Amino acid sequence: MAKGLQGFSWTMLLLFCAIQELGSWATHTAVEGPGLGQSGDPALLAGGRVKRGWVWNQFFVVEEYTGTEPLYVGKIHSDSDEGDGSIKYTISGEGAGTIFLIDEITGDIHATERLDREQKTFYTLRAQARDRQTDQLLEPESEFIIKVQDINDSEPRFLEGPYIGSVAELSPIGTSVMQVMASDADDPTYGSSARVVYSVLEGEQHFTVDSKTGVIRTAVADLDRETQDRYEVVIRATDMAGQLGGLSGSTTVTIVVTDVNDNPPRFPQKMYQFSIVETAPVGTAVGRVKAEDSDVGENTDMTYQVKDEEGVEMFKVTTDSNTQEAVITVQKPLDYESKKVHTVVVEALNKFVDPRFVDLGTFRDQTIVRVSVLDVDEPPEFRPPSNLMEVQEDAHVGSVVGVVTALDPDTANHPVRYAIDRSTDTERIFDIDAKTGAIVTGKVLDRETAGWHNITVLAMEADNHSQVSRASLRIRILDVNDNPPELATPYEAAVCEDAKPGQLIQTISVVDRDEPQSGHHFYFTLAPEATNNHHFSLLDIQDNTAAVHTQRVGFNRQEQDVYLLPILVVDSGPPALSSTGTLTIRVCGCDSNGAIQSCNSTAYVVSATLSPGALIALLVCVLILVVLVLLILTLKRHHKSHLTSEDDEDMRDNVIKYNDEGGGEQDTEAYDMSALRSLYDFSEIKGGDGGGGPGEGGLSRNPASELHALPQWVQSPDLDFSVFRDYICRKVEQADEDLSVPPYDSFQTYAFEGSDSPVPSLSSINTWSSSSEQDFSYLGGWGPRFRQLAALYAGRRGEEDSEES
């Protein structure tokens, strides 16, 4: 049996290495049995001979072939080939006819293109052996594989970059930082092309890398973030297990050194100086100081505190969380005259201390802060600051209540003047001496009216009233016994007519506006004017109350229905004061049980048992009734006034007054003349005896055009008033006969111009004379209202006379 395939390479050494790795190329001889012959082509078996199968080995081809000639891959050969060229060999499948070509006569296969195993590792093809003349298959088609053999043509690559790692400063040697991995595209199952080892190209002084795993570790123990906070380490990966001729790739790893609290806080200065005025209020910031810390983040968080006793008393230190500064503020009022300079020791310490680095030293620092107090002009100060005084209520006006004292705290020690803030003593009950500060009474005091007085005293510098201090002063009015005791209420008692001796009829108590320190104690007795009383007795119970009892058997209210019992009450003083009160005792009729029935023909029990609520309800009802009565009266009055106004409108004659100034007697358009004519009926006299002709100015004229008498008009002695008398009589007669006239007196006004008035008409319409024939001198006698008119006409007359002359 002939050899099916002969492996061949452009480099014999590489070919033999591949043979050793994969094993010898065994020769497969397949003898087609009866089954295969039956499935074969009948033409191939017509001669009755046995068909012999394919004889070959697996094909290999080296990648990245760079030769000029096609690369020989292998040879396919059939045992029926006698070398006469009657058999034609063909291939089909992946790359057939493009990448792989076959010699139809010899069966040699060549690769015409450069292959890359990283792109495709093998090709699957099918081989056929055909009769050249008939193109029929001489043997069944068979499948074979051409594998691309790997060479070391791909360098390792770091695909997960860029790499950034971190490690805490001062970490021990060998501390793992991070891991890097490189990938090689070569065949890991063939040779060492894909075996990668790691090494450090740059940064080997501080870091190392595991050659197999790629884990980066620290090489020193003194990494200091404050010195260098990041490192750039170059890691190289080499294939072929690092042997000579291997390919390599590199990457840069950034390693950040993280901070630990290994640096204590430090003040840049050992002493700071600040100044502040002595009047600065509590809480005022004096200044800020800050300790520096080379660490970062929370390792720089600090707290500050005052270490010396003097500073703790006068100043307070807080930490500004945003800037990590110490804020020094005033804790107690400052006084330049007492102390001009204060020294404060401020200490800074880390809030978070790492116990691993305690042995490096103390994590705190101190500095001295000097605070200078600046002097200012201060208002006077009250000394001592007592704010309570007492005075007897019977003190005379001008009595000294007490003395207030204020001093100027400044070095100059200016004199002080005093005053009372009158807004707190509007009634001017107290006065104060402006120089000594003595407070005296300005009015008579009364503890019962006002037991306490709160005033404000002002103290100011004599030459600078703007520097003012205020002090609140409470003055207590001490009580004296100046009010006598009085009965608590105007007592009224009742006694039954059939009362028995010793029967209690009333218990009385007293009140006293005074408040003695030892408490009240009152004494009761009957007044001297009641010494001859044999009806009632008074018993002092010794508890500031007294009891009134009957002293006889039975009373008769027909004889005497009221008894007045004067009672004398005395207090305990000093001095002892007394007053007399009267107890009114009424004699009443009672039933068999002693319940009062009536007193003085009035049901006493009703008044006695009438509650305050019932009295209020009774008063409310009375008030509602009064309101209703007033409302009814108001409505009636309003209705009556309405009727009266209607009656007034029904009057036959009304006085209508027009204040409009018209254009003369002939001007009837300025107002409605019919409104006047409708009120007066002159029809009966227009042609009667009472009127003359037009020249006489009789009743033919419109009476509405009333002509008022002029001031210069003088009554003619021969004027006849019979016309007026006859006219008025006719009007009265007419009113008496008119049944529609209301039955009450009426007042009628008649405007009538008499005949032949000596005063000529003021109008120039009806005159035939020229202006030169008229004399207007009489206008001067009409009074001041016509003075302007007289001046105009008199002046015009004078001009006309001058022209004529």
Side-chain angles (χ1 to χ4, degrees):
M1 183 179 59
K3 185 175 181 181
L5 283 178
Q6 292 182 353
F8 168 69
S9 173
W10 58 278
T11 304
M12 295 300 295
L13 178 61
L14 183 59
L15 181 58
F16 290 150
C17 291
I19 294 173
Q20 291 178 359
E21 285 292 331
L22 300 175
S24 60
W25 293 358
T27 301
H28 295 274
T29 302
V31 179
E32 189 178 270
L36 291 176
Q38 293 175 1
S39 62
D41 191 348
L44 297 177
L45 303 178
R49 60 183 180 88
V50 178
K51 179 185 179 297
R52 304 184 65 183
W54 293 95
V55 179
W56 56 22
N57 287 338
Q58 191 176 27
F59 293 150
F60 290 87
V61 62
V62 179
E63 68 172 336
E64 303 296 343
Y65 171 69
T66 58
T68 58
E69 297 294 332
L71 178 62
Y72 179 75
V73 178
K75 184 184 181 90
I76 60 174
H77 182 73
S78 174
D79 57 357
S80 61
D81 189 359
E82 296 179 356
D84 55 0
S86 60
I87 297 178
K88 181 177 68 173
Y89 297 97
T90 61
I91 58 174
S92 62
E94 296 176 333
T98 55
I99 300 176
F100 303 103
L101 299 177
I102 188 171
D103 190 321
E104 295 180 353
I105 298 174
T106 63
D108 294 331
I109 300 175
H110 291 81
T112 62
E113 295 182 8
R114 185 176 178 178
L115 303 180
D116 187 359
R117 192 203 66 85
E118 285 69 35
Q119 293 184 358
K120 192 171 181 62
T121 58
F122 64 90
Y123 297 86
T124 303
L125 297 94
R126 302 184 68 85
Q128 302 96 22
R130 294 179 179 272
D131 185 279
R132 187 175 296 273
Q133 298 296 327
T134 62
D135 199 31
Q136 291 185 355
L137 286 175
L138 300 178
E139 294 185 15
E141 185 181 62
S142 182
E143 185 179 86
F144 66 96
I145 295 175
I146 300 177
K147 285 190 174 182
V148 182
Q149 189 175 3
D150 182 47
I151 63 172
N152 190 20
D153 60 343
S154 298
E155 72 278 4
R157 296 179 182 273
F158 293 92
L159 303 178
E160 298 179 0
Y163 294 94
I164 300 176
S166 63
V167 63
E169 61 177 332
L170 300 181
S171 296
I173 297 175
T175 301
S176 176
V177 179
M178 64 179 302
Q179 183 181 19
V180 296
M181 295 185 65
S183 177
D184 197 322
D186 292 326
D187 189 358
T189 63
Y190 176 73
S192 300
S193 299
R195 293 179 58 187
V196 180
V197 294
Y198 302 92
S199 60
V200 179
L201 283 182
E202 296 180 12
E204 64 274 5
Q205 300 89 351
H206 301 93
F207 299 95
T208 62
V209 64
D210 189 290
S211 61
K212 295 182 179 181
T213 62
V215 176
I216 302 174
R217 302 179 184 275
T218 58
V220 294
D222 58 351
L223 291 177
D224 188 8
R225 188 204 63 82
E226 290 71 32
T227 303
Q228 185 175 351
D229 60 351
R230 67 176 53 228
Y231 294 88
E232 303 291 336
V233 181
V234 179
I235 303 297
R236 180 174 63 185
T238 307
D239 59 10
M240 297 297 292
Q243 297 178 5
L244 185 62
L247 302 179
S248 63
S250 61
T251 186
T252 300
V253 179
T254 301
I255 299 177
V256 178
V257 181
T258 59
D259 184 59
V260 296
N261 194 7
D262 59 337
N263 293 283
R266 290 289 181 265
F267 284 102
Q269 301 173 215
K270 288 303 179 184
M271 179 176 291
Y272 296 85
Q273 292 188 356
F274 299 101
S275 60
I276 189 171
V277 295
E278 62 176 332
T279 56
V282 173
T284 302
V286 178
R288 291 172 174 248
V289 296
K290 182 179 180 181
E292 302 294 339
D293 194 331
S294 301
D295 296 322
V296 294
E298 68 175 11
N299 295 325
T300 61
D301 292 348
M302 301 182 201
T303 57
Y304 297 89
Q305 58 187 3
V306 179
K307 294 300 293 181
D308 60 310
E309 295 181 359
E310 177 190 357
V312 170
E313 181 181 0
M314 299 299 298
F315 300 95
K316 179 182 178 181
V317 176
T318 57
T319 304
D320 189 329
S321 59
N322 295 325
T323 62
Q324 296 301 315
E325 291 178 315
V327 182
I328 304 171
T329 57
V330 178
Q331 186 164 275
K332 290 184 65 176
L334 303 174
D335 187 12
Y336 171 83
E337 289 72 26
S338 300
K339 192 167 185 177
K340 299 178 176 60
V341 178
H342 296 269
T343 301
V344 184
V345 179
V346 179
E347 182 181 66
L349 62 157
N350 280 130
K351 185 181 294 186
F352 305 105
V353 179
D354 195 331
R356 296 177 299 172
F357 307 106
V358 175
D359 56 347
L360 297 179
T362 176
F363 282 79
R364 59 184 65 200
D365 193 21
Q366 293 182 352
T367 188
I368 297 175
V369 178
R370 289 172 58 86
V371 181
S372 299
V373 182
L374 303 179
D375 186 28
V376 295
D377 189 10
E378 298 176 272
E381 295 180 355
F382 286 92
R383 300 177 183 174
S386 175
N387 62 350
L388 176 62
M389 293 183 179
E390 295 180 344
V391 61
Q392 295 284 342
E393 67 173 323
D394 60 349
H396 298 289
V397 175
S399 300
V400 177
V401 179
V403 179
V404 294
T405 303
L407 299 176
D408 185 7
D410 298 323
T411 306
N413 194 16
H414 297 95
V416 178
R417 296 294 179 262
Y418 303 92
I420 294 178
D421 186 353
R422 288 305 173 185
S423 64
T424 61
D425 184 25
T426 56
E427 298 181 3
R428 294 183 176 270
I429 299 177
F430 300 96
D431 294 320
I432 188 170
D433 191 289
K435 294 183 178 180
T436 63
I439 299 176
V440 298
T441 57
K443 290 185 178 181
V444 176
L445 305 177
D446 185 11
R447 188 204 64 82
E448 288 71 31
T449 303
W452 288 87
H453 295 274
N454 297 319
I455 64 174
T456 300
V457 179
L458 310 178
M460 63 200 80
E461 294 182 3
D463 55 352
N464 186 7
H465 288 181
S466 63
Q467 296 294 333
V468 181
S469 293
R470 298 173 178 267
S472 297
L473 184 64
R474 297 187 303 156
I475 301 177
R476 179 182 179 184
I477 310 302
L478 300 178
D479 183 46
V480 296
N481 193 23
D482 58 346
N483 292 281
E486 299 175 351
L487 293 181
T489 60
Y491 287 104
E492 288 191 4
V495 61
C496 295
E497 288 183 302
D498 57 351
K500 299 179 181 179
Q503 182 177 342
L504 175 65
I505 59 175
Q506 184 67 49
T507 300
I508 60 175
S509 60
V510 297
V511 292
D512 194 336
R513 298 175 61 191
D514 296 320
E515 293 182 0
Q517 297 181 355
S518 59
H520 290 289
H521 187 70
F522 303 108
Y523 305 94
F524 299 86
T525 182
L526 293 178
E529 57 267 26
T531 53
N532 296 327
N533 168 59
H534 300 292
H535 307 291
F536 304 98
S537 63
L538 180 67
L539 176 62
D540 190 345
I541 307 178
Q542 301 298 322
D543 62 351
N544 294 334
T545 61
V548 178
H549 298 82
T550 56
Q551 202 173 5
R552 56 176 261 186
V553 178
F555 295 88
N556 189 351
R557 58 176 171 170
Q558 300 298 331
E559 296 178 359
Q560 184 175 353
D561 59 351
V562 177
Y563 293 89
L564 300 179
L565 184 65
I567 301 174
L568 178 65
V569 184
V570 184
D571 62 16
S572 57
L577 300 178
S578 63
S579 68
T580 301
T582 301
L583 172 63
T584 301
I585 304 175
R586 298 182 182 276
V587 179
C588 302
C590 302
D591 58 11
S592 59
N593 297 324
I596 297 175
Q597 296 295 320
S598 63
C599 298
N600 294 335
S601 303
T602 303
Y604 180 85
V605 65
V606 174
S607 62
T609 58
L610 195 59
S611 64
L615 289 175
I616 294 174
L618 183 61
L619 291 176
V620 170
C621 293
V622 172
L623 182 61
I624 293 174
L625 291 175
V626 171
V627 171
L628 290 176
V629 171
L630 291 176
L631 183 60
I632 293 172
L633 291 176
T634 304
L635 293 175
K636 286 185 175 181
R637 180 173 298 178
H638 178 72
H639 183 66
K640 182 178 181 180
S641 62
H642 181 68
L643 293 177
T644 303
S645 63
E646 291 180 353
D647 294 342
D648 292 343
E649 293 178 358
D650 193 37
M651 291 180 63
R652 295 299 301 270
D653 294 304
N654 292 294
V655 177
I656 299 177
K657 184 176 182 180
Y658 284 84
N659 292 326
D660 297 337
E661 182 176 356
E665 294 181 353
Q666 302 302 321
D667 184 8
T668 60
E669 295 180 359
Y671 52 87
D672 187 7
M673 296 293 295
S674 61
L676 296 177
R677 293 193 182 98
S678 64
L679 299 177
Y680 306 99
D681 184 10
F682 296 100
S683 59
E684 61 182 72
I685 63 173
K686 285 185 177 180
D689 298 338
E696 297 176 358
L699 295 178
S700 61
R701 292 188 179 184
N702 189 357
S705 57
E706 179 182 355
L707 179 65
H708 294 277
L710 299 177
Q712 78 276 12
W713 179 75
V714 179
Q715 181 177 355
S716 177
D718 55 352
L719 185 64
D720 186 9
F721 289 95
S722 59
V723 176
F724 299 97
R725 189 164 42 252
D726 294 341
Y727 174 75
I728 293 174
C729 289
R730 282 196 300 271
K731 295 299 294 184
V732 171
E733 231 177 85
Q734 180 182 357
D736 292 339
E737 294 176 357
D738 190 356
L739 298 178
S740 63
V741 174
Y744 47 77
D745 294 339
S746 62
F747 177 77
Q748 299 185 13
T749 301
Y750 302 99
F752 178 75
E753 183 179 357
S755 62
D756 196 16
S757 174
V759 180
S761 175
L762 294 179
S763 174
S764 61
I765 297 176
N766 296 327
T767 181
W768 295 97
S769 63
S770 63
S771 60
S772 60
E773 297 176 356
Q774 298 182 19
D775 184 10
F776 297 100
S777 60
Y778 62 86
L779 295 176
W782 284 12
R785 299 179 62 182
F786 294 90
R787 185 174 300 166
Q788 184 69 22
L789 182 64
L792 292 173
Y793 279 87
R796 183 177 178 184
R797 178 65 179 173
E799 292 176 359
E800 292 177 354
D801 293 342
S802 62
E803 290 176 358
E804 292 177 358
S805 63

